[in-house]
Amino acid sequence: MTSTAATHPAHHPGPGPAVLVLEDGTVARGRAYGAAGTTFGEIVFSTGMTGYQETLTDPSYHRQIVVMTAPHVGNTGVNDEDPESGKIWVSGYVLRDPARRVSSWRADRPLEDELAAQGVVGISEVDTRFLTRHLRELGVMRAGIFSGDALVGATGLERPVAELVAEVQASPQMAGANLAPEVTTEQAYVVEPAGEFAGTTPVATVVAVDLGIKAMTPARLAERGVRVHVVPQSATIADVEALLPTDGAPAGVFFSNGPGDPSSAGHEIELLRGVLDRGIPFFGICFGNQLLGRALGYGTYKLGYGHRGINQPVMDRTTGKVEVTAHNHGFAVDAPVDAVSTAPYDAERTDEGRYGRVIVSHVGLNDRVVEGLTALDVPAFSVQYHPEAAAGPHDSAYLFDRFVALMTTRQPVTVPDGALVALAATGEKEN
């Protein structure tokens, strides 16, 4: 059976001029794309060649202006099946060469029309290669996009660059930002087992704390027979326990991806410590990985330009396998990469509770950034990347199976002795 690609010509009027201004005074001129107006945010770049619709609707991009390194964007349009949330979350969009027309049998409308309909200010015809190299050299920073009436001053002429730079410099910074409350669900909801498990008794029950969750994440659990209760960021340990089964059936807690600085997430960190103290199996991804790190007592820090894309190599050191993974993070955990360490929070506690030994179970092969933590004495692990693969490769799907196994046994993740010996030996050499 052959299918004919649907073609959707763009029907919006010709775009006017637009200006992208960085806080260091760098200026890039182009054409308005999407809505016209003003927007501010931390400017970052994404290296994904595909999956722009999933990127746009990922809540982790809240308050960020995204530069696409792929030069040609928009050729597959947008559809109503691929969004990862109910809206576009990026604060601005920067691309080089927008598609002149959409050509995909799945497309419902052009990308530019969707951006305009949702009020997302963008700019096209920009040298995104220069921008990417600039951000790699100097690090991410605040930026603003100005177009339409927002670009014109009282004299009817384009506003002075110095005036635009001043507005950018007055906009909020990402460091210290507590953004999960701005993207979380307002009401709890349930995702029931799906696929071959539809209508059956759940294999396990998970309470997923929505810190900016993507729709595909509970779907990946549901297709493994898991019932997922998605709860707001404000949930308490009592709220979580009320949703877990009391008959000893497999159950656990999941912390999702999300935007913002993990050092500002005090409520979520205390909630996670409550989970760990009760021995409830835990799995976290992205922001959830950073929060596990902080709950265990490790620090976090801001990366120079972050990891954003769907082609990042990571090694699972418990198996020795290398995965190509999807990333979207600007912060990372500061934990000993080549050693078995003890959770620093243990030394701060006044009670008898202890979290014990921890290893960096996953490491980025580009820069040796911590990409995953595994606790050896409590049932908890996390990764910094996105195993739900929306968009991205499916190399890391096994992590959901690992979580199901963790909930079934309620015992810490089994790490081969050889992996622990190798870490211990490396740590002794460095000391």
mmCIF file of all heavy atoms in Angstrom, residues 101-140:
data_model
loop_
_atom_site.group_PDB
_atom_site.id
_atom_site.type_symbol
_atom_site.label_atom_id
_atom_site.label_comp_id
_atom_site.label_asym_id
_atom_site.label_seq_id
_atom_site.Cartn_x
_atom_site.Cartn_y
_atom_site.Cartn_z
ATOM 1 N N ARG A 101 7.198 24.717 2.784
ATOM 2 C CA ARG A 101 5.914 24.019 2.804
ATOM 3 C C ARG A 101 6.081 22.720 3.566
ATOM 4 O O ARG A 101 7.184 22.187 3.677
ATOM 5 C CB ARG A 101 5.353 23.771 1.398
ATOM 6 C CG ARG A 101 6.184 22.876 0.515
ATOM 7 C CD ARG A 101 5.509 22.652 -0.836
ATOM 8 N NE ARG A 101 5.307 23.905 -1.546
ATOM 9 C CZ ARG A 101 4.107 24.360 -1.941
ATOM 10 N NH1 ARG A 101 3.017 23.655 -1.682
ATOM 11 N NH2 ARG A 101 4.005 25.483 -2.584
ATOM 12 N N VAL A 102 4.974 22.230 4.086
ATOM 13 C CA VAL A 102 4.986 20.982 4.856
ATOM 14 C C VAL A 102 4.749 19.814 3.926
ATOM 15 O O VAL A 102 3.898 19.879 3.042
ATOM 16 C CB VAL A 102 3.892 21.024 5.950
ATOM 17 C CG1 VAL A 102 3.832 19.701 6.689
ATOM 18 C CG2 VAL A 102 4.161 22.166 6.912
ATOM 19 N N SER A 103 5.489 18.740 4.127
ATOM 20 C CA SER A 103 5.296 17.551 3.309
ATOM 21 C C SER A 103 5.418 16.309 4.185
ATOM 22 O O SER A 103 6.494 15.751 4.366
ATOM 23 C CB SER A 103 6.333 17.505 2.185
ATOM 24 O OG SER A 103 6.113 16.393 1.340
ATOM 25 N N SER A 104 4.291 15.910 4.765
ATOM 26 C CA SER A 104 4.241 14.700 5.583
ATOM 27 C C SER A 104 2.803 14.221 5.656
ATOM 28 O O SER A 104 1.889 15.024 5.875
ATOM 29 C CB SER A 104 4.758 14.980 7.001
ATOM 30 O OG SER A 104 4.496 13.875 7.855
ATOM 31 N N TRP A 105 2.604 12.940 5.515
ATOM 32 C CA TRP A 105 1.244 12.407 5.574
ATOM 33 C C TRP A 105 0.645 12.525 6.975
ATOM 34 O O TRP A 105 -0.572 12.484 7.141
ATOM 35 C CB TRP A 105 1.224 10.942 5.121
ATOM 36 C CG TRP A 105 1.978 9.998 6.018
ATOM 37 C CD1 TRP A 105 3.291 9.684 5.974
ATOM 38 C CD2 TRP A 105 1.429 9.240 7.109
ATOM 39 N NE1 TRP A 105 3.620 8.786 6.963
ATOM 40 C CE2 TRP A 105 2.493 8.488 7.668
ATOM 41 C CE3 TRP A 105 0.145 9.117 7.657
ATOM 42 C CZ2 TRP A 105 2.320 7.640 8.753
ATOM 43 C CZ3 TRP A 105 -0.020 8.263 8.739
ATOM 44 C CH2 TRP A 105 1.040 7.535 9.274
ATOM 45 N N ARG A 106 1.493 12.744 7.986
ATOM 46 C CA ARG A 106 0.998 12.864 9.361
ATOM 47 C C ARG A 106 0.710 14.302 9.760
ATOM 48 O O ARG A 106 0.148 14.555 10.823
ATOM 49 C CB ARG A 106 2.018 12.268 10.331
ATOM 50 C CG ARG A 106 2.295 10.796 10.126
ATOM 51 C CD ARG A 106 3.269 10.262 11.173
ATOM 52 N NE ARG A 106 2.664 10.285 12.487
ATOM 53 C CZ ARG A 106 3.218 10.824 13.556
ATOM 54 N NH1 ARG A 106 4.394 11.438 13.462
ATOM 55 N NH2 ARG A 106 2.610 10.798 14.728
ATOM 56 N N ALA A 107 1.113 15.256 8.939
ATOM 57 C CA ALA A 107 0.993 16.660 9.330
ATOM 58 C C ALA A 107 -0.455 17.138 9.331
ATOM 59 O O ALA A 107 -1.234 16.813 8.442
ATOM 60 C CB ALA A 107 1.823 17.531 8.399
ATOM 61 N N ASP A 108 -0.801 17.932 10.354
ATOM 62 C CA ASP A 108 -2.114 18.567 10.420
ATOM 63 C C ASP A 108 -2.053 20.051 10.068
ATOM 64 O O ASP A 108 -3.044 20.625 9.625
ATOM 65 C CB ASP A 108 -2.711 18.416 11.829
ATOM 66 C CG ASP A 108 -3.041 16.970 12.163
ATOM 67 O OD1 ASP A 108 -3.620 16.288 11.295
ATOM 68 O OD2 ASP A 108 -2.716 16.519 13.272
ATOM 69 N N ARG A 109 -0.884 20.676 10.272
ATOM 70 C CA ARG A 109 -0.730 22.102 9.988
ATOM 71 C C ARG A 109 0.751 22.460 10.025
ATOM 72 O O ARG A 109 1.564 21.717 10.575
ATOM 73 C CB ARG A 109 -1.500 22.957 11.001
ATOM 74 C CG ARG A 109 -1.179 22.624 12.442
ATOM 75 C CD ARG A 109 -2.246 23.110 13.395
ATOM 76 N NE ARG A 109 -2.034 22.547 14.727
ATOM 77 C CZ ARG A 109 -2.479 21.347 15.105
ATOM 78 N NH1 ARG A 109 -3.163 20.595 14.247
ATOM 79 N NH2 ARG A 109 -2.252 20.909 16.330
ATOM 80 N N PRO A 110 1.117 23.624 9.493
ATOM 81 C CA PRO A 110 2.519 24.039 9.502
ATOM 82 C C PRO A 110 3.011 24.410 10.893
ATOM 83 O O PRO A 110 2.242 24.869 11.743
ATOM 84 C CB PRO A 110 2.532 25.273 8.578
ATOM 85 C CG PRO A 110 1.280 25.169 7.764
ATOM 86 C CD PRO A 110 0.278 24.503 8.653
ATOM 87 N N LEU A 111 4.298 24.231 11.103
ATOM 88 C CA LEU A 111 4.913 24.561 12.377
ATOM 89 C C LEU A 111 4.746 26.040 12.703
ATOM 90 O O LEU A 111 4.411 26.398 13.834
ATOM 91 C CB LEU A 111 6.399 24.200 12.342
ATOM 92 C CG LEU A 111 7.256 24.686 13.516
ATOM 93 C CD1 LEU A 111 6.753 24.120 14.837
ATOM 94 C CD2 LEU A 111 8.719 24.318 13.291
ATOM 95 N N GLU A 112 4.974 26.909 11.731
ATOM 96 C CA GLU A 112 4.898 28.339 12.018
ATOM 97 C C GLU A 112 3.499 28.738 12.460
ATOM 98 O O GLU A 112 3.336 29.577 13.360
ATOM 99 C CB GLU A 112 5.317 29.159 10.801
ATOM 100 C CG GLU A 112 5.328 30.659 11.101
ATOM 101 C CD GLU A 112 5.968 31.493 10.014
ATOM 102 O OE1 GLU A 112 6.223 30.962 8.920
ATOM 103 O OE2 GLU A 112 6.203 32.685 10.278
ATOM 104 N N ASP A 113 2.487 28.149 11.865
ATOM 105 C CA ASP A 113 1.110 28.457 12.275
ATOM 106 C C ASP A 113 0.866 28.029 13.720
ATOM 107 O O ASP A 113 0.174 28.714 14.478
ATOM 108 C CB ASP A 113 0.114 27.760 11.348
ATOM 109 C CG ASP A 113 0.056 28.390 9.958
ATOM 110 O OD1 ASP A 113 0.785 29.378 9.719
ATOM 111 O OD2 ASP A 113 -0.698 27.885 9.110
ATOM 112 N N GLU A 114 1.417 26.888 14.115
ATOM 113 C CA GLU A 114 1.240 26.408 15.488
ATOM 114 C C GLU A 114 1.927 27.343 16.475
ATOM 115 O O GLU A 114 1.375 27.652 17.534
ATOM 116 C CB GLU A 114 1.797 24.990 15.622
ATOM 117 C CG GLU A 114 1.549 24.337 16.961
ATOM 118 C CD GLU A 114 0.094 23.944 17.187
ATOM 119 O OE1 GLU A 114 -0.735 24.111 16.266
ATOM 120 O OE2 GLU A 114 -0.222 23.464 18.296
ATOM 121 N N LEU A 115 3.134 27.781 16.143
ATOM 122 C CA LEU A 115 3.833 28.721 17.013
ATOM 123 C C LEU A 115 3.040 30.018 17.150
ATOM 124 O O LEU A 115 2.885 30.555 18.252
ATOM 125 C CB LEU A 115 5.230 29.017 16.455
ATOM 126 C CG LEU A 115 6.239 27.864 16.474
ATOM 127 C CD1 LEU A 115 7.481 28.248 15.686
ATOM 128 C CD2 LEU A 115 6.607 27.498 17.895
ATOM 129 N N ALA A 116 2.526 30.514 16.035
ATOM 130 C CA ALA A 116 1.756 31.756 16.074
ATOM 131 C C ALA A 116 0.481 31.585 16.893
ATOM 132 O O ALA A 116 0.116 32.460 17.686
ATOM 133 C CB ALA A 116 1.425 32.204 14.646
ATOM 134 N N ALA A 117 -0.198 30.451 16.713
ATOM 135 C CA ALA A 117 -1.447 30.212 17.430
ATOM 136 C C ALA A 117 -1.233 30.146 18.935
ATOM 137 O O ALA A 117 -2.113 30.536 19.714
ATOM 138 C CB ALA A 117 -2.092 28.919 16.929
ATOM 139 N N GLN A 118 -0.064 29.662 19.354
ATOM 140 C CA GLN A 118 0.224 29.549 20.788
ATOM 141 C C GLN A 118 1.028 30.729 21.328
ATOM 142 O O GLN A 118 1.459 30.718 22.485
ATOM 143 C CB GLN A 118 0.951 28.234 21.077
ATOM 144 C CG GLN A 118 0.103 26.999 20.773
ATOM 145 C CD GLN A 118 0.601 25.766 21.499
ATOM 146 O OE1 GLN A 118 1.082 25.829 22.621
ATOM 147 N NE2 GLN A 118 0.457 24.613 20.861
ATOM 148 N N GLY A 119 1.230 31.737 20.492
ATOM 149 C CA GLY A 119 1.889 32.954 20.951
ATOM 150 C C GLY A 119 3.371 32.817 21.208
ATOM 151 O O GLY A 119 3.939 33.570 22.007
ATOM 152 N N VAL A 120 4.022 31.884 20.510
ATOM 153 C CA VAL A 120 5.455 31.661 20.698
ATOM 154 C C VAL A 120 6.232 32.511 19.702
ATOM 155 O O VAL A 120 6.084 32.355 18.487
ATOM 156 C CB VAL A 120 5.821 30.176 20.525
ATOM 157 C CG1 VAL A 120 7.319 29.972 20.700
ATOM 158 C CG2 VAL A 120 5.042 29.330 21.518
ATOM 159 N N VAL A 121 7.060 33.399 20.218
ATOM 160 C CA VAL A 121 7.844 34.301 19.380
ATOM 161 C C VAL A 121 9.096 33.589 18.888
ATOM 162 O O VAL A 121 9.841 32.993 19.687
ATOM 163 C CB VAL A 121 8.234 35.575 20.163
ATOM 164 C CG1 VAL A 121 9.118 36.488 19.325
ATOM 165 C CG2 VAL A 121 6.978 36.308 20.615
ATOM 166 N N GLY A 122 9.338 33.650 17.593
ATOM 167 C CA GLY A 122 10.505 33.004 17.019
ATOM 168 C C GLY A 122 11.207 33.894 16.018
ATOM 169 O O GLY A 122 10.733 34.986 15.673
ATOM 170 N N ILE A 123 12.361 33.425 15.550
ATOM 171 C CA ILE A 123 13.138 34.138 14.547
ATOM 172 C C ILE A 123 13.787 33.119 13.625
ATOM 173 O O ILE A 123 14.272 32.076 14.073
ATOM 174 C CB ILE A 123 14.194 35.054 15.208
ATOM 175 C CG1 ILE A 123 14.965 35.848 14.146
ATOM 176 C CG2 ILE A 123 15.131 34.277 16.108
ATOM 177 C CD1 ILE A 123 15.887 36.910 14.752
ATOM 178 N N SER A 124 13.779 33.394 12.329
ATOM 179 C CA SER A 124 14.393 32.509 11.347
ATOM 180 C C SER A 124 15.444 33.269 10.547
ATOM 181 O O SER A 124 15.648 34.470 10.741
ATOM 182 C CB SER A 124 13.326 31.938 10.405
ATOM 183 O OG SER A 124 12.747 32.980 9.622
ATOM 184 N N GLU A 125 16.103 32.536 9.653
ATOM 185 C CA GLU A 125 17.159 33.097 8.803
ATOM 186 C C GLU A 125 18.310 33.651 9.642
ATOM 187 O O GLU A 125 18.888 34.702 9.340
ATOM 188 C CB GLU A 125 16.598 34.152 7.855
ATOM 189 C CG GLU A 125 15.531 33.596 6.920
ATOM 190 C CD GLU A 125 14.991 34.633 5.955
ATOM 191 O OE1 GLU A 125 15.687 35.637 5.701
ATOM 192 O OE2 GLU A 125 13.872 34.442 5.452
ATOM 193 N N VAL A 126 18.623 32.926 10.720
ATOM 194 C CA VAL A 126 19.709 33.289 11.622
ATOM 195 C C VAL A 126 20.850 32.292 11.437
ATOM 196 O O VAL A 126 20.625 31.111 11.159
ATOM 197 C CB VAL A 126 19.210 33.266 13.090
ATOM 198 C CG1 VAL A 126 20.364 33.384 14.061
ATOM 199 C CG2 VAL A 126 18.207 34.380 13.320
ATOM 200 N N ASP A 127 22.077 32.741 11.593
ATOM 201 C CA ASP A 127 23.239 31.862 11.506
ATOM 202 C C ASP A 127 23.331 31.043 12.796
ATOM 203 O O ASP A 127 23.997 31.423 13.758
ATOM 204 C CB ASP A 127 24.509 32.694 11.302
ATOM 205 C CG ASP A 127 25.749 31.828 11.043
ATOM 206 O OD1 ASP A 127 25.662 30.595 11.247
ATOM 207 O OD2 ASP A 127 26.793 32.377 10.656
ATOM 208 N N THR A 128 22.643 29.922 12.818
ATOM 209 C CA THR A 128 22.589 29.107 14.029
ATOM 210 C C THR A 128 23.921 28.410 14.312
ATOM 211 O O THR A 128 24.199 28.056 15.459
ATOM 212 C CB THR A 128 21.468 28.060 13.927
ATOM 213 O OG1 THR A 128 21.606 27.326 12.704
ATOM 214 C CG2 THR A 128 20.105 28.742 13.933
ATOM 215 N N ARG A 129 24.730 28.221 13.289
ATOM 216 C CA ARG A 129 26.065 27.641 13.534
ATOM 217 C C ARG A 129 26.908 28.613 14.352
ATOM 218 O O ARG A 129 27.571 28.213 15.313
ATOM 219 C CB ARG A 129 26.759 27.325 12.208
ATOM 220 C CG ARG A 129 28.174 26.787 12.384
ATOM 221 C CD ARG A 129 28.797 26.391 11.071
ATOM 222 N NE ARG A 129 28.128 25.218 10.513
ATOM 223 C CZ ARG A 129 28.513 24.626 9.382
ATOM 224 N NH1 ARG A 129 29.547 25.096 8.704
ATOM 225 N NH2 ARG A 129 27.874 23.567 8.945
ATOM 226 N N PHE A 130 26.873 29.893 13.990
ATOM 227 C CA PHE A 130 27.596 30.896 14.772
ATOM 228 C C PHE A 130 27.070 30.947 16.208
ATOM 229 O O PHE A 130 27.850 30.985 17.173
ATOM 230 C CB PHE A 130 27.459 32.278 14.131
ATOM 231 C CG PHE A 130 27.783 33.403 15.085
ATOM 232 C CD1 PHE A 130 29.097 33.706 15.403
ATOM 233 C CD2 PHE A 130 26.767 34.138 15.695
ATOM 234 C CE1 PHE A 130 29.395 34.715 16.305
ATOM 235 C CE2 PHE A 130 27.055 35.149 16.593
ATOM 236 C CZ PHE A 130 28.377 35.436 16.900
ATOM 237 N N LEU A 131 25.742 30.953 16.376
ATOM 238 C CA LEU A 131 25.160 31.026 17.710
ATOM 239 C C LEU A 131 25.594 29.842 18.571
ATOM 240 O O LEU A 131 25.942 29.995 19.748
ATOM 241 C CB LEU A 131 23.635 31.058 17.621
ATOM 242 C CG LEU A 131 22.969 32.403 17.355
ATOM 243 C CD1 LEU A 131 21.472 32.211 17.196
ATOM 244 C CD2 LEU A 131 23.265 33.385 18.484
ATOM 245 N N THR A 132 25.564 28.647 17.984
ATOM 246 C CA THR A 132 25.939 27.451 18.727
ATOM 247 C C THR A 132 27.395 27.516 19.176
ATOM 248 O O THR A 132 27.722 27.224 20.333
ATOM 249 C CB THR A 132 25.706 26.198 17.872
ATOM 250 O OG1 THR A 132 24.315 26.121 17.516
ATOM 251 C CG2 THR A 132 26.100 24.933 18.614
ATOM 252 N N ARG A 133 28.279 27.921 18.271
ATOM 253 C CA ARG A 133 29.692 28.022 18.630
ATOM 254 C C ARG A 133 29.901 29.106 19.693
ATOM 255 O O ARG A 133 30.721 28.951 20.603
ATOM 256 C CB ARG A 133 30.523 28.320 17.382
ATOM 257 C CG ARG A 133 30.505 27.177 16.376
ATOM 258 C CD ARG A 133 31.280 27.495 15.127
ATOM 259 N NE ARG A 133 32.719 27.596 15.404
ATOM 260 C CZ ARG A 133 33.626 27.842 14.459
ATOM 261 N NH1 ARG A 133 33.239 27.993 13.205
ATOM 262 N NH2 ARG A 133 34.911 27.918 14.783
ATOM 263 N N HIS A 134 29.148 30.186 19.593
ATOM 264 C CA HIS A 134 29.247 31.267 20.572
ATOM 265 C C HIS A 134 28.837 30.770 21.963
ATOM 266 O O HIS A 134 29.519 31.042 22.962
ATOM 267 C CB HIS A 134 28.346 32.423 20.132
ATOM 268 C CG HIS A 134 28.486 33.665 20.948
ATOM 269 N ND1 HIS A 134 29.596 34.491 20.884
ATOM 270 C CD2 HIS A 134 27.657 34.236 21.875
ATOM 271 C CE1 HIS A 134 29.447 35.512 21.714
ATOM 272 N NE2 HIS A 134 28.277 35.372 22.329
ATOM 273 N N LEU A 135 27.743 30.014 22.030
ATOM 274 C CA LEU A 135 27.272 29.498 23.313
ATOM 275 C C LEU A 135 28.190 28.412 23.856
ATOM 276 O O LEU A 135 28.363 28.280 25.074
ATOM 277 C CB LEU A 135 25.841 28.973 23.172
ATOM 278 C CG LEU A 135 24.788 30.027 22.809
ATOM 279 C CD1 LEU A 135 23.431 29.363 22.562
ATOM 280 C CD2 LEU A 135 24.669 31.082 23.898
ATOM 281 N N ARG A 136 28.788 27.640 22.970
ATOM 282 C CA ARG A 136 29.755 26.621 23.431
ATOM 283 C C ARG A 136 30.990 27.274 24.036
ATOM 284 O O ARG A 136 31.584 26.748 24.978
ATOM 285 C CB ARG A 136 30.172 25.718 22.264
ATOM 286 C CG ARG A 136 29.170 24.613 21.939
ATOM 287 C CD ARG A 136 29.690 23.748 20.809
ATOM 288 N NE ARG A 136 30.942 23.134 21.163
ATOM 289 C CZ ARG A 136 31.063 21.921 21.712
ATOM 290 N NH1 ARG A 136 29.985 21.212 21.985
ATOM 291 N NH2 ARG A 136 32.245 21.409 21.992
ATOM 292 N N GLU A 137 31.376 28.416 23.493
ATOM 293 C CA GLU A 137 32.568 29.094 23.991
ATOM 294 C C GLU A 137 32.293 29.864 25.284
ATOM 295 O O GLU A 137 33.089 29.832 26.225
ATOM 296 C CB GLU A 137 33.099 30.060 22.926
ATOM 297 C CG GLU A 137 33.700 29.375 21.708
ATOM 298 C CD GLU A 137 34.954 28.572 22.057
ATOM 299 O OE1 GLU A 137 35.733 29.034 22.920
ATOM 300 O OE2 GLU A 137 35.137 27.492 21.473
ATOM 301 N N LEU A 138 31.158 30.562 25.336
ATOM 302 C CA LEU A 138 30.883 31.461 26.459
ATOM 303 C C LEU A 138 29.862 30.915 27.441
ATOM 304 O O LEU A 138 29.698 31.459 28.528
ATOM 305 C CB LEU A 138 30.417 32.823 25.929
ATOM 306 C CG LEU A 138 31.412 33.571 25.032
ATOM 307 C CD1 LEU A 138 30.833 34.909 24.603
ATOM 308 C CD2 LEU A 138 32.743 33.777 25.740
ATOM 309 N N GLY A 139 29.141 29.853 27.061
ATOM 310 C CA GLY A 139 28.102 29.303 27.931
ATOM 311 C C GLY A 139 26.749 29.913 27.631
ATOM 312 O O GLY A 139 26.646 30.970 26.992
ATOM 313 N N VAL A 140 25.710 29.238 28.088
ATOM 314 C CA VAL A 140 24.363 29.745 27.864
ATOM 315 C C VAL A 140 24.172 31.041 28.647
ATOM 316 O O VAL A 140 24.871 31.296 29.637
ATOM 317 C CB VAL A 140 23.295 28.708 28.272
ATOM 318 C CG1 VAL A 140 23.405 27.470 27.405
ATOM 319 C CG2 VAL A 140 23.410 28.344 29.746
#
